[in-house]
Amino acid sequence: VPVRSELRDGDLLLMWIGGSAKKVKPGGPKPSGGWTLVVARGPNDINLQCWTKPYDPSEKKIKRYIVTEGKNQFATLSAVRGVDVDDPVVAFDTLRNESKETGKVLAPAVKAAAGGAVAIAGVFDDPYGVTPVDNKFHTLASFVSLGDGFMSAMAPTKRNGMYDLVELNKGKNKRGGGNEVVGTVSLRPKPK
């Protein structure tokens, strides 16, 4: 996963890894370089993970992080400013195959902190592209490749309390399938 040169001390790195592989090793894919696992759903046919790490300026020569022990994996790397790098996560959750129950693809509701952020990501079987319906979200990635689709997005949080389910706009499945895993992670603001 490429690392951008604009990173600064105080940034929180947030990496989503998702993909499809029935024979992913126990523990699933791992990024190189001292990351903390926030949430993992899988390994299974469809799997999703979120990892965080405070940016370390002494690593400015690192040009990429390698994701190992995975197959058919997709990853996005974001730098988030203004969040607490020492204790970044307020809450997290995942939903699997929610569209089979509700007909909608949903990112789970989580507790959020005012002045922080909410990050969502998902991996989608037998590919269809996805974007958030909620226009507060900035889509970071949405693509289809290798028989699966992947999406990540982020939005600021304005208040404390529950951040509601986020509906995602899904395209049409190309080959059937329709399995998905979608995750939500809320981040707390940097202490004042």
Side-chain angles (χ1 to χ4, degrees), residues 148-162:
D148 295 305
F150 184 81
M151 177 278 314
S152 67
M154 192 170 293
T157 52
K158 304 269 187 216
R159 60 183 173 79
N160 291 321
M162 290 302 290

Side-chain angles (χ1 to χ4, degrees), residues 153-172:
M154 192 170 293
T157 52
K158 304 269 187 216
R159 60 183 173 79
N160 291 321
M162 290 302 290
Y163 201 97
D164 291 334
L165 291 165
V166 178
E167 184 177 348
L168 305 175
N169 180 22
K170 75 174 194 170
K172 186 176 178 184

Side-chain angles (χ1 to χ4, degrees), residues 17-25 28-30 43-47 67-74 123 146 148:
I17 303 171
S20 157
K22 287 186 179 176
K23 295 185 179 179
V24 173
K25 294 180 181 179
K30 296 175 184 65
N44 203 323
D45 180 40
I46 298 293
N47 55 79
V67 177
T68 62
E69 300 179 30
K71 181 179 177 189
N72 298 341
Q73 298 295 317
F74 310 103
V123 61
L146 299 172
D148 295 305

